[in-house]
Amino acid sequence: MKAVIQRVSKASVTIEDKKVASIDNGLLVLLGIVAEDTEEDIKWLVNKIVNCRIFNDDNQVMNLSLIDSKGDIIVVSQFTLHASTKKGNRPSYIKAARPDVAIPLYEAFVKSIQLVLGKPVQTGQFGADMKVELVNDGPVTIIMDSKTKE
């Protein structure tokens, strides 16, 4: 499981001209899933994301987590995170999990974050053509991969 985590001052997801998710301060998480991902990948990644200290404290030092800052989160599925660009100019997405595997893992990931945060998590729609808007605060962007634990 791979995630691109962006600290945002605002973010939204629009599908067919309808805004389906919108937050102010928090995180926008783009999530890529491979067929080999398991519940262990979900647990590791959720724990890292919600506890990652990338929000400013009163001294303007990145010392607070999403939990500490009481920020919100939007999770958007993004199979293109597993693109292979090694050969040719057209990326291959063969590593990305097929929907029958990816959707249940994506939903379990969202539920896990909701349980940890104790509040709803906003999302895009799996497989939809989404327009994602954000104001990256900082900018702070971090990539995490449950397979390499980085």
Side-chain angles (χ1 to χ4, degrees):
M1 214 167 259
K2 190 180 288 186
V4 174
I5 298 113
Q6 298 179 84
R7 185 179 78 180
V8 298
S9 56
K10 67 179 174 176
S12 66
V13 178
T14 302
I15 301 171
E16 295 179 1
D17 296 324
K18 181 180 178 200
K19 195 172 283 191
V20 298
S22 180
I23 63 170
D24 289 321
N25 296 312
L27 296 176
L28 172 66
V29 176
L30 306 176
L31 183 69
I33 299 168
V34 294
E36 298 78 24
D37 286 330
T38 66
E39 187 68 33
E40 287 304 311
D41 293 284
I42 292 170
K43 287 179 188 175
W44 182 86
L45 194 54
V46 166
N47 181 59
K48 284 301 226 182
I49 290 170
V50 300
N51 290 297
C52 190
R53 294 170 29 186
I54 57 173
F55 291 90
N56 293 342
D57 62 16
D58 292 337
N59 296 317
Q60 300 307 304
V61 175
M62 286 195 290
N63 205 25
L64 302 176
S65 69
L66 182 65
I67 293 171
D68 299 329
S69 69
K70 297 181 178 32
D72 291 314
I73 189 168
I74 297 177
V75 179
V76 176
S77 63
Q78 180 128 24
F79 74 93
T80 60
L81 290 181
H82 290 291
S84 174
T85 58
K86 185 174 184 178
K87 193 169 128 184
N89 292 318
R90 182 176 180 201
S92 168
Y93 305 107
I94 196 133
K95 292 180 189 175
R98 297 263 185 236
D100 62 320
V101 171
I103 291 171
L105 288 169
Y106 172 76
E107 290 172 349
F109 180 87
V110 171
K111 284 180 186 173
S112 183
I113 288 184
Q114 287 180 157
L115 285 172
V116 172
L117 294 179
K119 63 181 177 179
V121 169
Q122 296 192 50
T123 66
Q125 181 182 336
F126 194 94
D129 180 19
M130 296 175 272
K131 307 303 180 213
V132 179
E133 293 184 80
L134 69 134
V135 176
N136 191 320
D137 183 21
V140 175
T141 301
I142 296 175
I143 301 170
M144 294 182 186
D145 190 325
S146 65
K147 298 300 185 224
T148 61
K149 302 290 192 247
E150 292 187 290

